[in-house]
Amino acid sequence: MEKYCKHIRLSNDVQEIPLLNAFVDEICELNGLDDMTTMQMNLAIEEAVVNVMNYAYPEGTKGFVDITSMSDDECLQFVISDNGKPFDPTTKEEVDTTLPVEERRIGGLGIFLVRKMMDNVKYEYKDGQNILTLRKKSDK
């Protein structure tokens, strides 16, 4: 059963990230999450949204990213969707964090962080939209 559902739409402009952070903070507070978990949620969601803002649309093109959050007693879910070019971040290979920094390939750390901080990450491309679903189980 759904506790609530909240939505925010941002343009593909990283200047709007403070609005995203406030949105995530509010949702985490509504769910009674501690400061550390809230920080992790903010980092994971910001990482996913910034990737959409930077890469989903051709340079100079105005686009949007929609973030919808749903919560129930079992989990907190964020759905990030956009109409940009199809891209499945879940197909990126795992970053080898055991390698020294200078030997690691550039990129991929964002989805690595998202996978580590969330309990479930799912991607689908449906009706011309990228849909990334991030779920965090409730500790309650």
Side-chain angles (χ1 to χ4, degrees):
M1 177 168 293
E2 198 173 283
K3 257 198 232 177
Y4 71 87
C5 180
K6 288 192 168 284
H7 173 262
I8 187 171
R9 173 175 260 198
L10 303 174
S11 67
N12 58 333
D13 181 349
V14 293
Q15 298 296 313
E16 296 207 332
I17 289 302
L19 297 172
L20 174 68
N21 295 144
F23 176 77
V24 174
D25 285 346
E26 177 187 352
I27 288 159
C28 289
E29 189 176 318
L30 284 169
N31 280 276
L33 300 181
D34 62 43
D35 289 345
M36 178 60 86
T37 306
T38 298
M39 192 175 75
Q40 291 174 342
M41 295 291 283
N42 242 317
L43 183 60
I45 293 157
E46 181 178 323
E47 192 61 49
V49 170
V50 166
N51 280 342
V52 171
M53 289 176 167
N54 287 335
Y55 305 114
Y57 299 97
E59 198 170 328
T61 303
K62 192 81 169 150
F64 294 95
V65 56
D66 289 293
I67 305 98
T68 302
S69 176
M70 289 157 277
S71 170
D72 62 23
D73 292 331
E74 292 176 20
C75 83
L76 175 56
Q77 175 175 286
F78 287 87
V79 178
I80 300 164
S81 58
D82 66 83
N83 296 322
K85 62 185 174 200
F87 175 70
D88 183 353
T90 65
T91 61
K92 297 282 287 178
E93 63 185 54
E94 286 281 332
V95 173
D96 186 351
T97 56
T98 62
L99 289 174
V101 173
E102 55 278 357
E103 291 179 29
R104 292 184 202 163
R105 293 178 56 188
I106 293 174
L109 213 49
I111 192 64
F112 169 80
L113 288 171
V114 171
R115 284 181 182 137
K116 291 293 175 213
M117 292 177 200
M118 301 308 239
D119 294 310
N120 183 278
V121 178
K122 184 180 99 180
Y123 170 84
E124 62 182 323
Y125 188 77
K126 188 175 169 187
D127 300 327
Q129 283 201 313
N130 291 295
I131 304 166
L132 184 66
T133 303
L134 309 175
R135 295 180 71 147
K136 183 85 170 162
K137 291 179 190 143
S138 176
D139 293 336
K140 296 172 188 166

